[in-house]
Amino acid sequence: MHIDPLEKKWLYVALGMVVLFLGSIFLSLALGIKPPSNVETIDSARLHLSEEFAEDNLGVHIQPDGSIKVIMVAGRYGFFPRHITIPADTPITFRWASIDVLHGVHMPMTNMSTMVVPGYVSEVTTTFPKPGDYPMLCNEYCGLGHDYMWSKVTVVAKQTWEREHASKGGES
Amino acid sequence: MNDHQSRRLALWNWTVAFAAFLFASFLGFYQVVERSGLFDFLESPKGYFASVSTHGVLMAYVLTTFFIMGFGYLTATTSLKRPLWQPGLAWAGFFVSLIGTVLAAIPLLTGKASVLYTFYPPIQAHALFYIGAALLVVGSWVWCAIMVVMAVQWHRDNPGRTLPLAMYATVANALLWLWTSAGVALEVVFQLIPWALGWNDTLDPGLARTLFAWTLHPIVYFWLIPAYIALYCFVPREAGGYLFSEEMAKFAFLGLLIFSLPIGFHHLYVDPEQGAGWKLWHGVGTFLVAVPTLVTGFTVLASMEIAGRLNGGKGLFGWIGTLPWRNPMVLAAILALLMLILGGFGGIVNASYALNTMIHNTAWVPGHFHLIFAGTTVILYFAIAYHLWPKITGRKLVSNTLALIQLWTWFVGMTLLSTPWHVLGLLGQPRRISGVTYNSLLTLAWQPYELFMIMGGAVLLGSAVLFGVILWRTWKNPEPETDTGIAYAEPIHPPEGLPAWVENIKTWNLVILVLMLISFGWPIAQFFFLKTYESLPWGY
Ligand code: HEM
Ligand SMILES: [Cu+2]
Ligand SMILES: [Cu+2]
């Protein structure tokens, strides 16, 4: 077998590149950036009977430890509740279930992104540094109304939120 | 001549492939226009999703599968210099795939299978769609079997010799496809068909997505390998030089075969039904497959440099100018490499899951795969066609200049189409939308990019039609082609002293089996242990 010296050098470069990429994956892992993966099942046909995803439990919840949990349902064609208000600079855990088919949720320009698969609960924790109005869009084809599937999220400065919204549990 | 049968098979497989391509290109153009939101009167989700479903299936499954089958028959007979094993079987495979295509096309075109080419349940299509798709794949398995048998027989008759590179890559691709398609085949046969026919009421969408992810990554290498065969086996010779290293080429193909299979979960980074550890493992594997691609880039560029220098090129970059740019194969290779480099950067973003969350399922994704699949891969399919169509029809290529124009316009069109598409993704536009109805300022920022995409789509449609015209007029050309032999590039050094496992199909399969068990064993088995809740079918 002949491996040209130049070829050998290039192989080292290629391996070096791969090590660099892998390093960045492991670095983000060390920083706590990992994909949403909780492998938790739920009966999508009976969400209304589940405690967590029943209609009157949806929305923003302040946990006893001060962290924030948002419980939402994806269904053709919207994310419910249709409008939520949450604080900036605060870790927020979203929990999602689908009432019908596959959906994807994404808030553009943020890493609030997950698939919502019927039969499973999706969970994402993230922090929004920038206050503003964000659309929440469905990014997986879910039927002919797929492009009409969107809701709204208002991110407000932390102090404003604590003053005006915390008492109302985040209702707008 | 002992390759008469394989030429006819190539001719008819390619006729189906390119007819599908041409029709799907018109749909592609309709889509960019419809989805832009700039033409109210065109808006129709019903028409749009029927169109995207048909376009996706025709481009990703029909064009590729028939092209690869035709090319494989030619490669096998001309590189091994032996007649086709069981031509009758090969024709049977062709017809099974063709019938499957027609059966799937009926519900697709009538809007009864607007489930896109990924057909994620629990949205349900007409049963004919799944049955047709299954037959298309079954027909292609016949091709796989013929490729493997021919390689094994050649090994038996030529003890101690190593397979010609083109055939080596073709067999690797046949095995790759058998392993790859098994995932989606399990999904279609055990989940979708019984459910679409009403034998089962429910299925588990999590399991279905897992099985589909098994197929979804390696399938892109199934599509890409013929393009790599052109880069390794035709380009160096057409450029006037030699292949830099046949050994490395074999390692690259083997690496693609083995490492592209156990890594499909990068498509599920943000899915809830698989654990983070499995995603990490598949993510690591995803970066490992970059190595054979980087090796390919090196070998192909080095081979071209040799050719450029043999043609008199001097200095660090002088050899680039002395390459025969007017040779369609060489031109396509240069353009393909440019798009591969750009697409490779995008791929690194997709593969890193910290970055992936920003672009997952946004317009970035179709932007990426049009660049690398419709761009890099398909432009080399064109070049292979220009190279071999005259040889299989026995008619002279009608115009070299037209072929060059077609390749350039495809490149320009694809750049115009896919660059704004990537930007739209970064601006948050979801993929698979038929219009921009969102009541948000964001959509205003999208408009100028939509315009560029329409221009790109128009150039591409023109280029696709030109491709069809060139092939058609060549077929009808009164002037015969005199050089109908198919020749492959010679390596600088004949390969020698390769370890035996490099040629041993049994060893490859064993390694793949172990890796697949590690990567998919528990992730699939878990669905039988978890308390899962299945889904009833939904319309769309
Ligand atoms: C004539 C040039 C082409 C144009 C204008 C075009 C345009 C489009 C558009 C607008 C979509 C819809 C994407 C979405 O809604 O997210 C699409 C989808 C698709 N295209 Fe193309 N395309 C072209 C050529 C090709 C080629 C040559 C291939 C591959 C060989 C290809 C493969 C696909 C696939 C697989 C999909 C399905 C994507 C999905 O379901 O998300 N296209 N194309
Ligand atoms: Cu949706
Ligand atoms: Cu992939």
Side-chain angles (χ1 to χ4, degrees):
Chain A
M1 243 174 70
H2 357 67
I3 297 186
D4 191 272
L6 198 60
E7 203 165 27
K8 209 175 242 162
K9 275 190 207 142
W10 174 248
L11 266 179
Y12 289 133
V13 172
L15 288 173
M17 279 160 78
V18 169
V19 168
L20 202 72
F21 299 146
L22 290 180
S24 76
I25 287 203
F26 284 99
L27 183 69
S28 42
L29 193 71
L31 294 174
I33 301 171
K34 57 183 174 63
S37 296
N38 47 322
V39 199
E40 181 185 339
T41 63
I42 191 165
D43 189 349
S44 275
R46 290 198 186 73
L47 279 189
H48 55 288
L49 301 178
S50 75
E51 225 166 87
E52 185 176 7
F53 292 95
E55 205 173 336
D56 44 9
N57 196 44
L58 300 182
V60 183
H61 297 269
I62 305 171
Q63 301 297 98
D65 65 353
S67 67
I68 291 181
K69 190 152 122 184
V70 181
I71 296 170
M72 292 190 78
V73 156
R76 296 199 285 195
Y77 291 106
F79 301 104
F80 307 97
R82 309 258 354 196
H83 184 194
I84 56 168
T85 305
I86 47 177
D89 298 317
T90 312
I92 296 177
T93 299
F94 288 86
R95 284 179 53 84
W96 296 95
S98 165
I99 45 173
D100 42 40
V101 298
L102 185 65
H103 300 279
V105 214
H106 185 210
M107 288 167 59
M109 327 277 182
T110 77
N111 54 11
M112 189 358 265
S113 170
T114 182
M115 302 301 295
V116 188
V117 182
Y120 299 83
V121 178
S122 309
E123 190 177 299
V124 188
T125 303
T126 189
T127 305
F128 302 97
K130 286 204 198 99
D133 273 331
Y134 291 82
M136 181 178 256
L137 308 176
C138 179
N139 67 12
E140 183 54 88
Y141 174 69
C142 53
L144 297 183
H146 165 53
D147 18 321
Y148 293 85
M149 180 156 173
W150 58 286
S151 303
K152 249 165 98 174
V153 179
T154 306
V155 178
V156 297
K158 201 168 172 169
Q159 291 87 348
T160 322
W161 195 81
E162 276 161 2
R163 202 169 55 235
E164 294 173 12
H165 297 273
S167 57
K168 292 181 284 176
E171 294 303 317
S172 330
Chain B
M1 221 171 22
N2 56 15
D3 50 16
H4 173 71
Q5 279 293 348
S6 71
R7 283 167 201 260
R8 288 202 66 73
L9 275 159
L11 183 65
W12 286 103
N13 274 285
W14 284 8
T15 301
V16 174
F18 296 141
F21 162 76
L22 206 55
F23 178 64
S25 294
F26 281 90
L27 297 179
F29 181 63
Y30 156 76
Q31 287 155 208
V32 269
V33 178
E34 200 275 1
R35 69 192 284 287
S36 68
L38 302 174
F39 305 91
D40 283 343
F41 61 95
L42 269 178
E43 302 260 311
S44 155
K46 213 168 166 224
Y48 183 82
F49 288 113
S51 173
V52 185
S53 302
T54 312
H55 171 88
V57 167
L58 288 180
M59 290 295 196
Y61 302 144
V62 179
L63 161 67
T64 50
T65 307
F66 282 94
F67 179 82
I68 292 166
M69 294 197 290
F71 189 34
Y73 291 131
L74 277 181
T75 314
T77 51
T78 58
S79 72
L80 299 181
K81 303 202 172 54
R82 58 196 290 148
L84 193 65
W85 182 72
Q86 298 289 355
L89 206 57
W91 283 109
F94 169 76
F95 283 111
V96 170
S97 289
L98 185 61
I99 291 168
T101 303
V102 173
L103 287 186
I106 298 167
L108 277 170
L109 292 172
T110 50
K112 301 237 171 350
S114 299
V115 293
L116 304 189
Y117 85 120
T118 44
F119 45 84
Y120 291 130
I123 289 183
Q124 194 183 61
H126 193 284
L128 264 190
F129 171 72
Y130 304 117
I131 295 171
L135 287 178
L136 169 61
V137 173
V138 169
S140 71
W141 286 346
V142 173
W143 171 82
C144 295
I146 294 174
M147 294 302 106
V148 174
V149 168
M150 287 187 67
V152 169
Q153 289 182 342
W154 186 90
H155 262 308
R156 195 193 52 209
D157 299 344
N158 295 273
R161 286 179 60 197
T162 54
L163 274 177
L165 180 60
M167 189 58 190
Y168 185 89
T170 304
V171 192
N173 207 18
L175 289 173
L176 175 70
W177 180 234
L178 286 171
W179 277 99
T180 301
S181 53
V184 74
L186 290 171
E187 181 198 357
V188 169
V189 172
F190 291 106
Q191 290 193 291
L192 297 175
I193 292 180
W195 176 69
L197 291 174
W199 301 341
N200 289 347
D201 293 333
T202 60
L203 54 63
D204 184 342
L207 173 59
R209 276 178 75 72
T210 302
L211 291 171
F212 198 78
W214 161 341
T215 298
L216 198 50
H217 191 70
I219 196 173
V220 305
Y221 289 99
F222 171 61
W223 303 331
L224 188 59
I225 283 181
Y228 278 13
I229 295 179
L231 288 178
Y232 279 115
C233 301
F234 292 142
V235 171
R237 187 188 166 92
E238 292 299 306
Y242 300 91
L243 175 59
F244 188 76
S245 163
E246 182 161 327
E247 283 107 328
M248 271 308 179
K250 287 196 171 177
F251 281 117
F253 283 116
L254 198 53
L256 292 177
L257 164 61
I258 290 172
F259 293 115
S260 70
L261 273 157
I263 62 174
F265 284 5
H266 57 232
H267 295 269
L268 302 184
Y269 278 157
V270 297
D271 266 48
E273 76 277 2
Q274 294 296 345
W278 293 110
K279 294 177 184 175
L280 179 65
W281 166 249
H282 284 238
V284 169
T286 302
F287 282 111
L288 289 184
V289 229
V291 176
T293 296
L294 289 168
V295 167
T296 301
F298 175 85
T299 310
V300 174
L301 280 175
S303 307
M304 294 218 266
E305 180 177 345
I306 294 172
R309 294 201 187 282
L310 285 176
N311 299 343
K314 301 251 177 315
L316 198 52
F317 296 111
W319 58 273
I320 299 177
T322 52
L323 287 173
W325 286 71
R326 288 189 52 83
N327 180 311
M329 183 63 76
V330 175
L331 176 65
I334 296 169
L335 300 177
L337 283 175
L338 280 174
M339 291 188 279
L340 184 67
I341 292 167
L342 295 173
F345 281 116
I348 289 167
V349 172
N350 304 344
S352 324
Y353 58 51
L355 299 176
N356 179 279
T357 49
M358 296 286 293
I359 47 90
H360 174 80
N361 268 1
T362 64
W364 170 284
V365 175
H368 168 73
F369 71 69
H370 277 81
L371 182 60
I372 209 151
F373 174 29
T376 301
T377 305
V378 170
I379 208 168
L380 283 162
Y381 286 11
F382 295 152
I384 295 172
Y386 292 138
H387 189 55
L388 299 180
W389 191 255
K391 299 184 194 288
I392 60 182
T393 54
R395 306 278 116 199
K396 206 171 167 55
L397 186 67
V398 73
S399 158
N400 193 63
T401 305
L402 280 184
L404 297 175
I405 293 174
Q406 192 272 324
L407 295 171
W408 274 112
T409 46
W410 190 257
F411 172 73
V412 170
M414 205 44 87
T415 313
L416 270 176
L417 178 77
S418 63
T419 311
W421 223 343
H422 280 83
V423 179
L424 281 169
L426 294 176
L427 290 173
Q429 185 181 85
R431 74 189 278 195
R432 304 181 149 174
I433 51 172
S434 76
V436 283
T437 53
Y438 311 110
N439 177 13
S440 160
L441 282 180
L442 201 59
T443 53
L444 285 182
W446 295 347
Q447 274 184 7
Y449 299 100
E450 297 283 350
L451 260 177
F452 276 103
M453 283 184 64
I454 294 177
M455 282 157 50
V459 175
L460 285 168
L461 178 58
S463 180
V465 170
L466 182 56
F467 175 70
V469 169
I470 295 172
L471 290 198
W472 178 256
R473 286 188 39 207
T474 298
W475 202 350
K476 300 290 152 214
N477 195 353
E479 198 179 335
E481 168 70 41
T482 43
D483 172 21
T484 56
I486 298 175
Y488 298 91
E490 296 288 337
I492 306 180
H493 318 279
E496 58 177 47
L498 275 176
W501 52 263
V502 178
E503 296 273 329
N504 191 326
I505 295 178
K506 272 205 199 93
T507 314
W508 305 348
N509 278 321
L510 215 63
V511 174
I512 295 173
L513 179 67
V514 171
L515 285 173
M516 287 303 276
L517 277 174
I518 296 174
S519 285
F520 281 93
W522 175 252
I524 290 176
Q526 67 161 356
F527 293 102
F528 300 94
F529 293 99
L530 280 171
K531 168 98 194 86
T532 51
Y533 300 90
E534 303 208 322
S535 290
L536 289 164
W538 292 79
Y540 42 84

